[in-house]
Structures are given as structure tokens and as C-alpha cells.
């Protein structure tokens, strides 16, 4: 079964735009699970423009499905954001946060500080040694590790050498090309997914997957372990309501 993990960053974006606690990020996560979501994803960034580090602490005891924390661990050890003095009154970076929370999964994403959204996967050749160290550190805590990666079989083969449990395919190119030629759009992703399977890696996918393109992606790569979807899903919920939206996304995955 392919799990649906709902990325709730956009809910936090709306809350932060007005201040206060509306919409309630914690309650939204609980409701997503109640309506059938099989995981909750958050991507805290150093500027805390959507999910805050404090949200991650609040969500940990409430999430009863799989909790997935995404982010870039590089250079965050000493980051001191305005709202990072949380647990034990000391500042935390991404690595420290994840090791304390111990989610079911951590997804390593190489996004630069200040980018609007993740826009590329890891170069697992250039950053091989670094990724080996980080993967080892998280796995020592009993956390499953996934590496965000482009649909490049060589990069996936090199990702396998880091000791990671899974890779997450960055699907923006698929989404952009889907309407013009879905067969052409999916082809490199099928090859990449096969490479991951050949390497013994679990397989996740995410970025711009939607009600328009998700079913075909799943049809062509039915051994997917998980999709993480935020922007499109939250946007659809504005029209359909969150319960109906989650049911439709689950339907795209044969659930």
C-alpha cells in the first residue's frame, strides 16, 4: 500500500500571515489522520516562515500515524532563530531537533535558505561523505532516513551507498510535463524507481503531485511506499473540504 503523507506547511503559512492560532495546525494534523491520511509531513526552515520548531514539538505526541520531518541539515547546528529556544531553553538546529523528536522518518532535502520551495535533489556524488555521516547519525537514533533526489539512476545508486533506507523522487518535472505528454513525463521516473528497487531502497515521491497527475504516477510505479503532498492538497481542500480531498487522494493511490 502506498501511504499518503499530508504536508501541512501551507496551513502554518496561513496561520502565520495573521498571527494567533487560526487555522490550528495541530488540530488540522489530527483531522487529516482522522479522515484517512497515513502520515503527517512538516518541513521546518530556519526562518520559520511556515512550520515553526515549536510546532514540531507540539505535533510529536499528537501524530498517531507516521511523522515525517523534512529539511536540510547542512549548516544548521549553530542556527539561532527567533523561536528556536524551545525545549530545555536552548537553541536547536535541524539535526538536534530531529534527534530529540525521533520521528518515524527524516527526509534530507538540500534546499538553500531563503528559497520559496525545494527545487532540486541531492548530488549524492559530491555530498557522499557528508550524507554517509548524517544518515548514520539519524539511523543510530532509530529514525528511517530518506534522501530527496532527482530522477537520475546514477544519483540513486550513489544514494544507496550512503546507507539511506529510502529515496524520495523530486517530481516537479513530471508534474510540469504531464499535461503535454504524460508517457514522456513518467518515463525517467519509472527508470529511477526501478533503479531504487534494484538497489534495495524504499521509494517515496513528492513535489507538485496533484489530483490531476497522481493516479497515473501510481499506476506506472505501484511499488511506491509513500507520497508526500502539501501545496496541491491544501489548495484542493479550499474547494472540496479536507475530508473529501483526502479521500480523493487516497483514491488515486488505490486506497
Amino acid at each position: 500500500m502506498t501511504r499518503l503523507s499530508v504536508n501541512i506547511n501551507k496551513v502554518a503559512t496561513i496561520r502565520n500571515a495573521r498571527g494567533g492560532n487560526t487555522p490550528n495546525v495541530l488540530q488540522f494534523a489530527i483531522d487529516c489522520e482522522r479522515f484517512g491520511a497515513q502520515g503527517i509531513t512538516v518541513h521546518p526552515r530556519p526562518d520559520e516562515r511556515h512550520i515553526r520548531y515549536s510546532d514540531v514539538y507540539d505535533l510529536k505526541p499528537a501524530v498517531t500515524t507516521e511523522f515525517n520531518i523534512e529539511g536540510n541539515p547542512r549548516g544548521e547546528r549553530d542556527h539561532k532563530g527567533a523561536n528556536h529556544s524551545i525545549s530545555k531553553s536552548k537553541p536547536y538546529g535541524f539535526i538536534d531537533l530531529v534527534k530529540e523528536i525521533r520521528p518515524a522518518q527524516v527526509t534530507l532535502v538540500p534546499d538553500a535558505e531563503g528559497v520559496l520551495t525545494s527545487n532540486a535533489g541531492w548530488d549524492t556524488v559530491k555530498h557522499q561523505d557528508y550524507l554517509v555521516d548524517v544518515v548514520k547519525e539519524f539511523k543510530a537514533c532509530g529514525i528511517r532516513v530518506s534522501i530527496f533526489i532527482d530522477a537520475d539512476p546514477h544519483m540513486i545508486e550513489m544514494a544507496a551507498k550512503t546507507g539511506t533506507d529510502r529515496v524520495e523522487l523530486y517530481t516537479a518535472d513530471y508534474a510540469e510535463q504531464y499535461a503535454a505528454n504524460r508517457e514522456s513525463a513518467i518515463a525517467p521516473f519509472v527508470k529511477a524507481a526501478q533503479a531504487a528497487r534494484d538497489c534495495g531502497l524504499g521509494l517515496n515521491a513528492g513535489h507538485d503531485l496533484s489530483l490531476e497527475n497522481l493516479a497515473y504516477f501510481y499506476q506506472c510505479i505501484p511499488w511506491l511506499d509513500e507520497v508526500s503532498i502539501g501545496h496541491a492538497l491544501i489548495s484542493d481542500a479550499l474547494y472540496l473540504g479536507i475530508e473529501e480531498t483526502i479521500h480523493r487522494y487516497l483514491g488515486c493511490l488505490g486506497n
Side-chain angles (χ1 to χ4, degrees):
M1 180 182 71
T2 302
R3 291 177 174 268
L4 170 65
S5 186
V6 177
N7 186 320
I8 59 173
N9 278 18
K10 286 298 185 294
V11 180
T13 300
I14 297 171
R15 176 200 61 188
N16 296 352
R18 187 67 178 265
N21 196 35
T22 302
N24 186 310
V25 170
L26 179 60
Q27 186 61 51
F28 192 88
I30 292 170
D31 289 339
C32 285
E33 292 183 317
R34 181 163 60 91
F35 298 142
Q38 296 128 335
I40 298 296
T41 292
V42 294
H43 188 148
R45 286 183 165 89
D47 60 9
E48 298 190 308
R49 66 180 181 270
H50 35 63
I51 286 292
R52 300 167 180 156
Y53 276 39
S54 57
D55 291 325
V56 182
Y57 283 91
D58 292 340
L59 286 161
K60 170 59 177 176
V63 173
T64 59
T65 58
E66 289 205 346
F67 194 21
N68 173 44
I69 303 178
E70 299 180 343
N72 188 351
R74 290 183 67 84
E76 287 198 351
R77 277 288 193 196
D78 301 317
H79 179 81
K80 295 178 174 61
N83 298 312
H84 285 200
S85 296
I86 311 162
S87 178
K88 302 176 185 177
S89 298
K90 69 176 183 178
Y92 279 86
F94 183 81
I95 291 175
D96 298 308
L97 175 74
V98 172
K99 288 176 67 176
E100 182 170 348
I101 295 296
R102 299 203 177 195
Q105 177 175 268
V106 58
T107 301
L108 308 181
V109 183
D111 52 340
E113 189 168 343
V115 298
L116 282 175
T117 186
S118 306
N119 55 19
W122 284 93
D123 182 333
T124 54
V125 176
K126 180 179 179 180
H127 300 294
Q128 175 78 199
D129 291 342
Y130 175 75
L131 289 169
V132 167
D133 291 342
V134 174
V135 168
K136 182 178 179 180
E137 187 169 2
F138 285 137
K139 290 183 71 172
C141 297
I143 304 167
R144 183 174 72 235
V145 181
S146 179
I147 294 178
F148 195 66
I149 202 157
D150 296 324
D152 182 331
H154 180 58
M155 289 297 170
I156 290 170
E157 291 166 5
M158 296 304 293
K161 295 180 183 297
T162 69
T164 190
D165 301 289
R166 296 183 182 181
V167 291
E168 178 175 333
L169 296 179
Y170 171 53
T171 52
D173 287 346
Y174 165 75
E176 290 173 2
Q177 299 172 28
Y178 177 84
N181 188 328
R182 68 180 190 173
E183 291 82 6
S184 175
I186 196 65
F189 291 88
V190 172
K191 289 181 180 178
Q194 290 171 339
R197 185 165 60 176
D198 291 344
C199 291
L201 294 173
L203 185 66
N204 299 340
H207 205 91
D208 291 341
L209 294 174
S210 67
L211 288 176
E212 178 185 9
N213 60 46
L214 178 59
Y216 184 68
F217 194 90
Y218 170 72
Q219 174 187 329
C220 295
I221 312 173
W223 62 92
L224 275 170
D225 290 300
E226 172 188 297
V227 293
S228 176
I229 305 178
H231 183 81
L233 190 151
I234 301 304
S235 298
D236 289 331
L238 295 175
Y239 294 93
L240 303 172
I242 189 59
E243 181 174 9
E244 176 64 19
T245 297
I246 288 176
H247 290 170
R248 293 195 187 189
Y249 274 89
L250 290 171
C252 291
L253 297 171
N255 296 337

